[in-house]
Amino acid sequence: MEISCNNSSSLENQIKYIQDTLRTGKTSGDGKYTEKCNLIFEEELKIKKSLLTTSCTHALEMCALLLNIKPGDEVILPSYTFVSTVNAFLLRGAIPKFIDVKYSTLNIDENLIEDQITKKTKAIIVVHYAGVACEMGKIKKISLKYNIPIIEDNAHGIFGKYKRKFLGTFGTFSTQSFHETKNFSCGEGGALFINDENFMERAEYIREKGTNRTKFIRNEIDKYSWVDIGSSYLLSEILACILYAQLEMRNAIQQKRKLIWENYKKKLHDWAMQNDIKLQEIPPYCKSSYHIFYILLSSSEKRERLISHLKKSGIKASFHYTPLHTSLMGRKYGYKKGDLPVTEEISERMLRLPIHNNLKYNLIDFRCFYDFK
Ligand SMILES: *Cc1c(COP(=O)(O)O)cnc(C)c1O
């Protein structure tokens, strides 16, 4: 049974909406299709304000600007993440305070956060790795106790849940990615979700080059002018067309990813037991967005062997995230090998199996896994 919900299923609509937009000539952004995307996020996920951006990286940069991050301020975040999670804040002069992850989810270890908080801490940035929620109950308590805002880098987690609440709704801000590699994609794109009204007006200025143009577009003012610092963070309407056509199919896309994930889990169960391999787990109170399916092998040597073994059967398995703290930049901030043991260990042993919207998962021959010695 092949469930069809890949990009080609929405291809016709993608083209139709782009043609529609080209005909109107209003291609620059914040048009009809942008509005439709925002409505889905605001109504379905219960986001106070959604702003489409040119990328998740840029949405993170907007967070740093909105929080007035200054040189010497500190931000707490996991080391096991993509570079943009940290770079957006380093651009404003912040100092990273890297925290180890938990073996169970590869998410930030909530029990290590409080120790790193100082008077200079300006944000706690969490990443819902693979689409599985961080311990938001505990993290929210810490945030309230010290009055430090949470930012969710939700590049993996859109439509996932922690308990009954959607990911992206816990932080003062959350940032989404619609890069080609993500569950929903318009090539390059993102969104900033704002859950605190106090930041809405300024976020619009910053996204529109430091002007109040968004108010002008809404006919709230006669002419627009320079009111703040800012940059060019607004997603083109052409890209919003592509995104909207995919969001229309969100249930089918998420359902298919779930089936792929569950199929791996079921078919690889015995193999994992035989080979001392740990399959990804989802805590019972989390609903995953099924962005990634990963396994943990017993050594990096075994991982190398499995990658080349699977390659022979046409299965392209890959790994990612060289820990940020042991990379060249991390070392410049005083970190060294041994500082975050779980992060260092799992980054050597984790492997991602293919999971994407076009995958014909019923064609995967699981015998090639069982052939592996
Ligand atoms: C993909 C990704 C980003 C960057 O997303 P872009 O939209 O390409 O800027 C940031 N953080 C994480 C965790 C990601 O996986």
Side-chain angles (χ1 to χ4, degrees):
M1 173 188 60
E2 173 64 22
I3 296 200
S4 178
C5 71
N6 49 33
N7 290 349
S8 51
S9 310
S10 68
L11 191 63
E12 267 176 44
N13 279 346
Q14 292 181 32
I15 293 167
K16 198 169 95 189
Y17 301 156
I18 291 172
Q19 282 175 339
D20 180 33
T21 302
L22 289 174
R23 280 197 191 98
T24 66
K26 291 202 176 299
T27 52
S28 65
D30 275 348
K32 187 167 77 180
Y33 293 98
T34 296
E35 189 52 37
K36 284 172 184 287
C37 294
N38 286 333
L39 269 181
I40 289 176
F41 298 138
E42 287 167 6
E43 287 179 356
E44 195 164 314
L45 306 183
K46 307 232 164 19
I47 301 292
K48 290 218 173 106
K49 179 100 187 151
S50 162
L51 293 173
L52 296 192
T53 58
T54 31
S55 65
C56 180
T57 303
H58 281 166
L60 286 160
E61 287 179 18
M62 286 182 67
C63 294
L65 289 168
L66 284 162
L67 291 177
N68 291 320
I69 301 287
K70 300 264 178 329
D73 287 346
E74 295 173 1
V75 293
I76 287 173
L77 77 161
S79 165
Y80 191 67
T81 181
F82 189 63
V83 290
S84 295
T85 320
V86 70
N87 259 342
F89 299 87
L90 266 50
L91 277 171
R92 321 289 342 143
I95 296 164
K97 292 286 161 182
F98 292 117
I99 302 225
D100 216 346
V101 292
K102 297 197 295 186
Y103 188 68
S104 54
T105 53
L106 312 192
N107 279 334
I108 191 166
D109 188 337
E110 68 279 0
N111 298 310
L112 303 177
I113 293 175
E114 223 169 329
D115 271 356
Q116 292 296 321
I117 291 178
T118 71
K119 286 203 179 73
K120 292 179 179 168
T121 310
K122 289 289 149 62
I124 299 168
I125 309 156
V126 301
V127 178
H128 305 298
Y129 183 73
V132 174
C134 298
E135 269 302 336
M136 293 319 292
K138 177 119 195 223
I139 296 169
K140 193 93 194 176
K141 269 195 197 131
I142 297 171
S143 152
L144 291 172
K145 180 170 164 193
Y146 295 92
N147 197 21
I148 298 170
I150 296 170
I151 299 166
E152 297 171 82
D153 178 341
N154 197 30
H156 297 186
I158 196 158
F159 297 115
K161 280 181 177 173
Y162 172 78
K163 299 192 173 160
R164 290 224 173 81
K165 219 161 124 55
F166 280 106
L167 302 185
T169 63
F170 292 89
T172 302
F173 308 111
S174 72
T175 62
Q176 331 302 313
S177 176
F178 306 120
H179 183 265
E180 186 190 313
T181 50
K182 302 303 199 293
N183 289 25
F184 300 88
S185 156
C186 58
E188 301 272 0
L192 175 66
F193 291 172
I194 304 169
N195 297 307
D196 178 341
E197 285 96 343
N198 296 317
F199 291 98
M200 287 179 190
E201 191 175 27
R202 192 160 178 242
E204 287 186 343
Y205 300 159
I206 288 174
R207 196 183 60 140
E208 268 280 25
K209 299 99 180 169
T211 73
N212 51 7
R213 186 167 179 270
T214 311
K215 281 187 176 164
F216 172 72
I217 302 283
R218 281 198 300 258
N219 286 322
E220 291 168 19
I221 47 178
D222 295 338
K223 62 179 174 40
Y224 71 88
S225 60
W226 183 26
V227 292
D228 206 325
I229 57 165
S231 193
S232 181
Y233 292 132
L234 197 134
L235 187 75
S236 157
E237 188 66 5
I238 305 278
L239 296 179
C241 291
I242 299 175
L243 181 62
Y244 179 63
Q246 283 180 39
L247 287 174
E248 280 183 313
M249 305 208 54
R250 60 198 176 279
N251 293 334
I253 288 172
Q254 294 303 85
Q255 182 60 21
K256 176 167 180 184
R257 297 185 83 102
K258 181 171 193 275
L259 286 174
I260 296 170
W261 195 98
E262 285 171 349
N263 199 41
Y264 278 133
K265 187 87 172 162
K266 192 170 89 203
K267 301 267 174 59
L268 295 179
H269 176 268
D270 293 351
W271 171 77
M273 299 281 276
Q274 292 155 18
N275 286 283
D276 193 19
I277 286 167
K278 183 181 176 290
L279 303 180
Q280 186 194 351
E281 274 165 30
I282 301 173
Y285 49 85
C286 292
K287 182 175 166 278
S288 181
S289 69
Y290 301 99
H291 177 55
I292 286 171
F293 180 85
Y294 71 85
I295 64 177
L296 287 172
L297 292 106
S298 49
S299 70
S300 64
E301 178 271 328
K302 212 167 166 181
R303 177 171 76 177
E304 288 312 311
R305 279 198 293 118
L306 181 60
I307 292 172
S308 32
H309 177 82
L310 292 176
K311 204 171 163 194
K312 285 181 217 144
S313 306
I315 297 174
K316 215 174 146 237
S318 56
F319 56 88
H320 66 171
Y321 298 157
T322 314
L324 294 178
H325 74 284
T326 53
S327 61
L328 179 67
M329 276 295 279
R331 281 183 274 131
K332 283 190 184 162
Y333 283 92
Y335 286 89
K336 58 182 187 313
K337 223 171 157 80
D339 285 347
L340 306 175
V342 183
T343 300
E344 290 165 35
E345 212 208 291
I346 55 96
S347 68
E348 298 272 305
R349 302 198 279 114
M350 76 84 70
L351 189 65
R352 296 184 294 154
L353 299 181
I355 173 164
H356 52 82
N357 301 349
N358 296 322
L359 189 74
K360 303 235 181 310
Y361 70 98
N362 51 341
L363 296 183
I364 294 177
D365 184 356
F366 282 93
R367 276 175 306 186
C368 70
F369 284 89
Y370 287 82
D371 288 345
F372 176 70
K373 292 281 171 320

